[in-house]
């Protein structure tokens, strides 16, 4: 210990002072006050040279050294607290200082430095001594800011100080308790105020010794400022490096010893050894010992931080070379491990006589630290030298899914194939035969790995289904598992009577020896009849996935292979026991991998030793269990003895087993509402049970209104009638659905069995055996889909019932612009639609949006391009180069909608709670045309079993049930949650379902039932008629479904049925052909603006008939290619650029007022070239505001693109074939873009439908058309009077644009403004330029008031305040509608009344209008900003951040299309009117006739075009109030004010209510 000789070892020499006059240790002079040392003395205790005591300044008494080396001095107590800093030293003085004494680690540093001494430590020594930590209770005092840790001398180094706080002791002389004081004075006072544990009084004995550490470039210079004249604290805080090392050695050698065992005595061969408390008293605290032990073991067990895991894993790979085969990290983490020796032993040259061939695979749960992690091992038997089972491949898996096992088995197969190639052995399926337990995940993983292996090795040799069947023939189950479970179940006295346990076991064992299916069936039925309570257990083993691996009558494996494999997985379980014995359990990943490598290397070393004659076991055979089994008949004598011991019961125990307590079988008698009755599993009936359960649940929602009348008249022999009877039984009170029936519902089960026999007679299901497995909905499609066949009369009653489940449609195919020159059509018969099936392709197309997919399915105008015409004869296409399209028009949708999901593992659907065929159709919503979800069907990925989940309305409340017919005796059990999200709706991958199951299908119910069906049929027939289809209805059939369909086209003729493709077609569709050749293209005229009226009434195609001063029409020629121009005489530039040279370039200023056409070019220089046709246009004729000289700006002329972006055009509804008909309706659309990649196709020009007209077509939806269609539309719209008024829609205008309407109101905006008035008033009162809007307005106002900087407004020579406010709001992009202006005016009036002029600053009181100016400028802008945020759906915020988005055009005003559309419609209907007065009068009349003002229609006035990039400032949020209007208006809103402002700010005056104001 570093101390002076003055430290007294015996504490008796320092008696405890009395309570009333406690003594204190003499205070030392501050060490910084020492002058420079001038001599050296030797300390008698440390025998080291140290600086001698130095002379103190003259103002303080000198300190004399005592004989023992202690020094004492006197000073005022307050002088220590504020000790002055070190006075500056000159460089010469510092350089003259002698070097301080050096220290070595030979001097013991025990953390208790005492005495007045100095010592120099190197940086390495200081770090080894924990940076000179001490055990005294010290408070850091800080150091001198002028020092540097890189200084050359310690005097200039960085100094830190700490002061000892002494000790707290008890006044009771018999009490030995010493309390370690806290470092803060307040905490010390609390400690002293508390009584001692003995009841005495505590007092604080101060010390005041200050130690200083000078850290500089060459080490740490330590100065201890005196002796501690008090006892040591008994509570320590730190362990020294030496103590930590001793404790680490003990813990690492005894990792399993807990804190208590270490405290009592570390384990040893002769009992407990020395306690770890002997290392340091700190470890007497068991909690501290627990913490230190856990900290040590954290590193030992390999729990490294994530940042170091890669390095640790790399080190493992270095220490275990060629051991890690593959490491996959992610949600499925698998690390596959195998050595060359393990791979070599997996393949044997021949088959052994004993049943030790093949591979045994199993997983252990206890090896890894996380019990959820698995150790998967596949072992093989080594028959030559080791004569035991050894690991062939090992895997770490973070779960037990099929994917984890697939990766393991795939690498097993690959390694075996590599070894076969090395040994020259052919790779055959039998090599991969495995013995596994009955884990479904393990079985599925094996099958999937087998499929992947062979598809990768020999692709196309076998199909996936064939490979799956072959893989099932390579799996053998563990018979020992079955026998163990037989023993377990027979001891459950509630299931098996104790007197029949032997009979139960005999039945079970007999199943293992049944060689034929009939024998097995008879035995199983007898088994179930005698033990009905065990039926679910028995039938679980009878499932095909389990039975084929266990029972000889079911097995698919060859008998020879079966007999050569072990009967159990016991060899692998014994392997797990060996690993536990050798390596222990619960190991972390890194040490676990190291241990496994050592374990498998042990087998390699054993074999090498045996190969050189070393004895590795005694006797002839190390398999001692064989001799035990031959002698006793079993291999575990201890288990059998234990079983016999358990029979003898101690007389000190009361009856405490089910056998002793159950005098009779437990019978469930109390009705339990958490169960709902359904069908019990029998002979693979899960597919039918799930379907019947969901159909009955859906039909129960409106059984009396829909299903009952639709099915009541069915003939007796119809399967649909039997189905209706089953639904009637469940829904109409024949049984009580809620509750539990012991043994299941006999009525429901008997009905199911009878119906199953009935559907066997249905076409397509005649070969379905009673125990066969089928799809969930195949039988339903069969009994509903055969009623409409060609040449067979339709029974209206059956058709009506079948429409409850099936959709009906008609198909129209069109072929135009083909090689024959005649357009032709094909119309199918009205027939049932195939099932609604989804796929990965459909999911990607609609981005998983199921609503969008279904709306697209029912859309009558949807057309699908076809690759070729349907006119084919013996594979020869008769019609070439046609534009072929197909349209499927749904005429009926089912009441119960069934959607088959397909494979949902690689795609994710968003499953909605409701699906509506039409969007925004109020009449459809009223009719109940909306589907609501009923339930799901789940299917095993490979496991052939189906379960269901559904929403039941059988009780008073809506409840969600899970149904598995193999559980709960056929009862569905209620889920704990009532929420659809995560159970029935939401992303398909987030649906909570059983492991190894995936979503198979969805069931929805039509809310409006048959009434909604009829509404849909009427709408779809009307939509189909617009496509040129004509329907015929059977007078005897009132269900609204057409009986047949034909084409209603003025130029279409029905073809004879003697055509080759018609004769050979089984569908016998109707064929039509145009009765005249397709018309040649019209001669082009000078191009004019689309949809604009003609300037001249001349319609002649001749140039001679053209009006005067009209340029001649350009010649007809195809559009030249951008690469290869078709006219060699015209010099066309290859780049789109401005010409400034004299090069002759063809000019065609198409679509402008110029209409210049100069094929040889002209003398203009300011021209720009079209990127498509390479012709040139005058810049002066193009729209202004665009820098056409910029090479980055692409120019496409109107001749190529037809339309300007955002231009308004009239179009007919989709699917219109004849545009010249007077019944065709025309609707407005906006041109979006042209896709040059789609030139010549129907996707070249893209438009979007507008919603500003009545009965808008596809409002907000985009569509694409071809160039030819655009030309045809243009010619029709160009000719005045071609489109009649009856063909044009009325324009829908918002009510606030009606000039005769004065009652503008908007309750939502009124509530928002009312809630924002207090915050706006605060902003206007402060009017601080820190607010963005205030700052921007002040700057704008200053600029506006500058002389000659602002243009005159009317007769005013200087701008007014109101005009400045108006112009400012226009500048920042804030515009408002008349309705918004009215609502804002009311809010502005309230703002003006809210704060009096006394609230303004004194300098502003001279201007009474100042408050009004603020309200009308910034206040009005804040209100309009709330309007913008409300329309955009953003948070209401008054902090002004939105101003930057307005100024940077990230938010722009959205123009209303109503007025431009009205003008467009008028120009197309009436043509151009030259007389201005007549034009105004006609437009006013046309406006009155074609305008409809809608009270609820409010088009958006703003839209966001880019995300905000403004750094958010503290928000000023607005919370909309819900109080009554009079309360909001009359009472001032509560407001937060700054501290101290309540008395200074005048309170707003409350407006008095008018009494009897009438």
């Amino acid at each position: 210990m570093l101390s002076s000789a003055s430290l007294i070892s015996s504490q008796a020499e320092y008696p405890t002072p009395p309570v009333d006059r406690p003594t204190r240790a003499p205070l030392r002079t501050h060490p910084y006050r020492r002058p420079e040392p001038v001599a050296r003395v030797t300390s008698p205790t440390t025998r080291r040279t140290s600086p001698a005591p130095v002379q103190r300044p003259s103002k303080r008494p000198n300190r004399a050294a005592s004989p023992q080396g202690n020094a004492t001095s006197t000073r005022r107590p307050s002088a220590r607290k504020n000790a002055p800093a070190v006075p500056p030293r000159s460089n010469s003085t510092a350089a003259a200082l002698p070097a301080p004494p050096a220290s070595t680690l030979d001097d013991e540093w025990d953390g208790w430095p005492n005495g007045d001494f100095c010592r120099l430590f190197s940086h390495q020594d200081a770090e080894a001594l924990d940076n000179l930590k001490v055990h005294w209770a010290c408070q850091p005092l800080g150091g001198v800011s002028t020092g540097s840790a890189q200084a050359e001398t310690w005097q200039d180094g960085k100094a830190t100080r700490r002061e000892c706080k002494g000790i707290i002791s008890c006044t009771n002389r018999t009490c030995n308790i010493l309390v370690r004081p806290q470092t803060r004075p307040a905490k010390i006072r609390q400690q002293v105020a508390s009584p001692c544990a003995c009841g005495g009084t505590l007092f604080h004995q101060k010390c005041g010794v200050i130690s200083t550490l000078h850290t500089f470039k060459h080490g740490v210079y330590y100065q201890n400022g005196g002796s501690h004249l008090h006892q040591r604290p008994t509570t320590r805080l730190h362990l020294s490096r030496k103590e930590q090392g001793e404790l680490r050695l003990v813990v690492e050698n005894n990792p399993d010893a807990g804190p208590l065992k270490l405290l009592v005595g570390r384990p040893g061969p002769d009992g407990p050894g020395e306690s770890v408390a002997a290392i340091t008293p700190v470890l007497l605290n068991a909690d501290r010992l627990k913490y230190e032990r856990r900290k040590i073991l954290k590193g030992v067990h390999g729990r490294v931080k994530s940042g170091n895991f890669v390095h640790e894993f790399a080190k493992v790979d270095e220490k275990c070379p060629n051991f890690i085969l593959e490491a996959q990290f992610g949600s499925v983490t698998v690390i596959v491990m195998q050595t060359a020796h393990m791979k070599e032993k997996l393949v044997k040259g021949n088959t052994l006589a004993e049943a030790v061939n093949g591979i045994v695979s199993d997983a252990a749960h206890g090896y890894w630290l996380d019990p959820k992690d698995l150790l998967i091992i596949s072992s093989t038997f080594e028959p030559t030298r080791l004569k035991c089972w050894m690991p062939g491949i090992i895997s770490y898996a973070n779960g037990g899914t099929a994917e984890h096992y697939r990766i393991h088995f795939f690498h097993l197969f690959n390694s075996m194939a590599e070894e076969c190639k090395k040994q020259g052995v052919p790779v055959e399926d039998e090599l991969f035969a495995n013995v596994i337990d009955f884990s479904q995940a393990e079985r599925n993983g094996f099958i999937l790995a087998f499929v992947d292996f062979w598809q990768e090795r020999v692709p196309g040799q076998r199909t996936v289904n064939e490979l799956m069947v072959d893989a099932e023939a390579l799996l053998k189950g563990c018979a020992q598992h079955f026998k163990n479970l037989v023993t377990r179940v027979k001891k459950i006295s509630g299931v098996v009577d104790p007197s029949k346990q032997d009979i139960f076991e005999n039945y079970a064992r007999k199943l293992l020896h049944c060689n034929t299916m009939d024998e097995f069936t008879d035995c199983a039925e007898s088994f179930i009849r005698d033990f009905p309570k065990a039926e679910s257990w028995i039938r679980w083993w009878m499932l095909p996935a389990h039975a084929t691996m266990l029972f000889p009558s079911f097995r698919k494996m060859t008998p020879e292979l079966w007999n050569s494999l072990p009967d159990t997985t016991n060899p692998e379980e014994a392997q797990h026991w060996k690993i536990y014995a050798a390596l222990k359990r619960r190991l972390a990943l890194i040490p676990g991998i190291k241990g496994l490598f050592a374990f498998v290397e042990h087998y390699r070393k054993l074999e090498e030793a045996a190969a050189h004659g070393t004895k590795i076991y005694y006797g002839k055979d190390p398999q001692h269990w064989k001799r035990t089994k031959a002698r006793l008949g079993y291999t575990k004598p201890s288990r059998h003895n234990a079983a016999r011991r358990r029979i003898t019961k101690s007389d000190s125990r009361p009856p405490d087993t089910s056998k002793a307590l159950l005098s009779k079988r437990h019978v469930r008698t109390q009705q339990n509402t958490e169960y709902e009755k359904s069908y019990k599993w029998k002979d693979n009936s899960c597919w039918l049970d799930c379907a019947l359960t969901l159909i009955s649940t859906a039909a129960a929602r409106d059984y009396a209104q829909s299903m009952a009348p639709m099915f009541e008249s069915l003939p007796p022999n119809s399967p649909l009638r039997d189905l209706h009877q089953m639904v009637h039984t469940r829904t109409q009170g024949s049984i009580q659905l809620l509750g539990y029936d012991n043994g299941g519902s006999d009525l429901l089960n008997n009905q199911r069995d009878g119906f199953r026999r009935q559907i066997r007679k249905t076409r397509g299901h005649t070969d379905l055996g009673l125990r066969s497995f089928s799809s969930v909905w195949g039988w339903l499609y069969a009994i509903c889909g055969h009623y409409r066949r060609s040449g067979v009369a339709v029974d209206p009653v059956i058709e009506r019932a079948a429409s409850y489940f099936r959709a009906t449609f008609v198909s129209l195919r069109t072929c135009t612009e083909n090689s024959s020159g005649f357009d032709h059509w094909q119309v199918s018969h009205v027939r049932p639609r195939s099932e609604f099936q989804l796929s990965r392709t459909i999911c990607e197309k609609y981005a998983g949006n199921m609503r969008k997919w279904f709306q697209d399915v029912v859309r009558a105008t949807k057309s699908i391009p076809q690759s070729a015409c349907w006119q084919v004869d013996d594979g020869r296409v008769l019609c070439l180069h046609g534009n072929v399209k197909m349209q499927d028009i749904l005429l009926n949708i089912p009441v119960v909608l069934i959607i088959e999901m397909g494979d949902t593992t690689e795609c994710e659907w968003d499953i909605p709670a409701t699906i509506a065929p039409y969007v925004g159709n109020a009449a459809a919503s009223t009719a109940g045309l909306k589907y609501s979800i009923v339930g799901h069907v789940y299917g095993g990925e490979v496991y052939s079993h189906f379960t269901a989940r559904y929403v039941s309305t059988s009780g008073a409340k809506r409840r969600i049930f899970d149904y598995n017919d193999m559980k709960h005796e056929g009862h569905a059990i209620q889920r704990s949650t009532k929420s659809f999200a995560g159970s029935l709706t939401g992303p398909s991958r987030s649906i909570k379902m059983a492991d190894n199951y995936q979503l198979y299908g969805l069931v929805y119910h039509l809310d409006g039932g048959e009434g909604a069906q009829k509404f849909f049929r009427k709408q779809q027939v009307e939509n189909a008629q617009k496509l040129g289809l004509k329907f015929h209805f059977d007078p005897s059939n009132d269900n609204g479904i057409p009986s047949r369909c034909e084409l209603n086209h003025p130029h279409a003729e029905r073809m004879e049925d003697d055509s080759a493709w018609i004769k050979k077609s089984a569908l016998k569709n109707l064929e039509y052909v145009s009765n005249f050749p397709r018309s040649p293209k019209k001669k082009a005229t000078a191009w004019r603006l689309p949809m604009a009226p003609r300037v001249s009434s001349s319609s002649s195609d001749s140039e001679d008939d053209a009006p005067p001063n009209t340029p001649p029409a350009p010649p007809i020629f195809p559009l030249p290619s951008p690469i290869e121009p078709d006219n060699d005489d015209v010099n066309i530039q290859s780049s789109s650029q401005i010409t400034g040279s004299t090069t002759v370039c063809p000019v065609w200023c198409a679509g402008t007022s110029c209409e210049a056409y100069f094929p040889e070019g002209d003398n203009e220089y300011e021209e720009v070239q079209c990127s498509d046709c390479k012709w040139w246009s005058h810049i002066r004729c193009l729209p202004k505001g665009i820098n056409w000289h910029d090479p980055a700006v692409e120019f496409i002329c109107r001749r190529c693109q037809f339309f300007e972006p955002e231009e308004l055009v009239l179009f007919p509804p989709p699917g219109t074939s004849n545009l010249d008909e007077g019944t065709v309706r025309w609707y407005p659309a906006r041109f979006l873009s042209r896709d040059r990649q789609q030139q010549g196709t129907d996707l070249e020009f893209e438009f979007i439908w507008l919603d500003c007209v009545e009965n808008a077509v596809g409002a907000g939806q985009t569509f694409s058309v071809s160039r030819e269609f655009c030309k045809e539309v243009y010619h029709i719209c160009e000719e005045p009077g071609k489109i009649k008024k009856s063909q044009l829609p009325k324009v829908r205008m918002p009510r606030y644009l009606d000039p005769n309407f004065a009652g503008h109101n908007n309750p939502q905006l009124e509530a928002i403004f009312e809630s924002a008035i207090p915050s706006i008033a605060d902003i206007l009162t402060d009017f601080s330029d820190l607010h963005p809007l205030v700052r921007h307005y002040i700057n704008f106002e200053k600029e506006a008031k500058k002389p000659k900087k602002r243009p005159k407004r009317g007769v005013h020579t200087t701008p007014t305040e109101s005009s400045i406010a108006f112009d400012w709001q226009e500048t920042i992009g804030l515009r408002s509608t008349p309705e918004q202006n009215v609502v804002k005016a009311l809010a502005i009036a309230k703002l003006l009344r809210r704060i009096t002029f006394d609230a303004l600053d004194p300098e502003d009181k001279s201007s009474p209008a100042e408050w009004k100016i603020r309200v009308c400028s910034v206040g009005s802008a804040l209100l309009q900003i709330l309007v913008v945020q409300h329309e955009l759906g953003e948070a209401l915020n008054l902090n002004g951040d939105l101003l930057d988005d307005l100024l940077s055009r990230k938010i722009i005003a959205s123009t209303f299309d109503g007025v431009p559309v009205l003008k467009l419609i008028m120009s197309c209907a009436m043509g151009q009117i030259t007389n201005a007065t007549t034009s105004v009068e006609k437009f006013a009349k046309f406006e009155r006739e074609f305008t409809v003002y809608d009270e609820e229609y409010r088009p958006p006035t703003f839209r966001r075009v880019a995300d905000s990039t403004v750094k958010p400032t503290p928000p000023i949020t607005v919370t909309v109030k819900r109080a009554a209007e009079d309360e909001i208006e009359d009472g001032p809103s509560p407001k937060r004010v700054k501290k101290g402002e309540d008395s200074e700010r005048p309170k707003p005056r409350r407006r008095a209510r008018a009494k009897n104001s009438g």
Side-chain angles (χ1 to χ4, degrees), residues 1097-1141:
S1097 61
S1098 175
S1099 60
S1100 174
D1101 295 335
S1102 173
E1103 293 182 6
D1104 298 332
D1105 297 334
N1109 302 324
T1110 302
I1116 296 297
F1117 60 87
L1119 288 177
S1121 169
I1123 300 176
E1124 300 179 1
D1126 61 345
N1127 191 348
D1128 296 332
D1129 297 332
V1130 179
N1131 183 15
I1132 298 180
Q1133 301 295 320
S1134 61
S1135 62
S1136 178
Q1137 61 182 0
I1138 305 298
T1139 178
S1141 66

Side-chain angles (χ1 to χ4, degrees), residues 1078-1097:
R1078 187 169 51 256
S1079 301
K1081 296 181 180 179
K1082 295 181 181 180
K1083 187 176 182 180
T1085 59
W1087 206 94
R1088 294 182 178 86
L1089 184 66
M1091 312 306 166
R1094 284 181 183 269
V1095 178
S1096 173
S1097 61

Side-chain angles (χ1 to χ4, degrees), residues 352-421:
L352 303 177
E354 296 184 67
V356 290
N357 299 278
I359 300 168
V360 181
S361 300
D362 199 8
H365 293 261
Y367 181 71
W368 304 109
L369 193 62
D370 191 341
K372 295 180 182 178
D373 298 344
L374 299 182
L375 176 65
I376 308 174
I377 304 180
S378 295
S379 295
T380 183
F381 188 79
E382 204 292 312
T384 307
R385 298 185 178 95
L386 299 180
K387 296 183 180 181
C388 67
W389 292 86
M390 62 166 289
I393 192 168
I394 303 174
S395 293
Y396 161 86
N398 69 335
T401 66
E403 180 62 16
H404 291 90
Y405 283 104
R406 185 196 68 81
I407 297 173
H408 171 85
F409 284 117
F410 181 79
H411 285 284
L412 170 66
F413 301 156
N414 263 341
S415 61
M416 294 180 70
E418 294 173 0
E419 187 63 27
C420 286
K421 182 179 179 180

Side-chain angles (χ1 to χ4, degrees), residues 797-836:
V797 176
I798 297 180
E799 183 180 39
R800 183 185 181 190
S803 68
Y804 192 84
F805 300 105
R806 295 299 299 266
T808 308
F809 82 109
V810 65
S811 180
L812 170 65
R813 288 199 277 188
T814 307
C815 180
T816 59
E817 303 179 8
N818 50 66
S819 58
S820 66
F822 292 88
D823 298 341
H824 46 272
W825 301 266
Q826 184 188 78
V827 180
S828 70
H829 293 282
V830 179
R831 62 181 187 267
R833 186 192 186 278
S834 60
E835 53 271 17
F836 293 93

Side-chain angles (χ1 to χ4, degrees), residues 119 216 363 473 572 577 610 667 686 747 804 818 830 962 978 1016 1106 1327 1461 1541:
R119 184 58 50 84
F216 66 111
E572 188 52 58
W577 180 87
V667 179
C686 57
L747 177 59
Y804 192 84
N818 50 66
V830 179
D962 280 337
K978 296 181 181 179
F1016 178 82
F1327 215 66
V1461 168
E1541 291 182 349

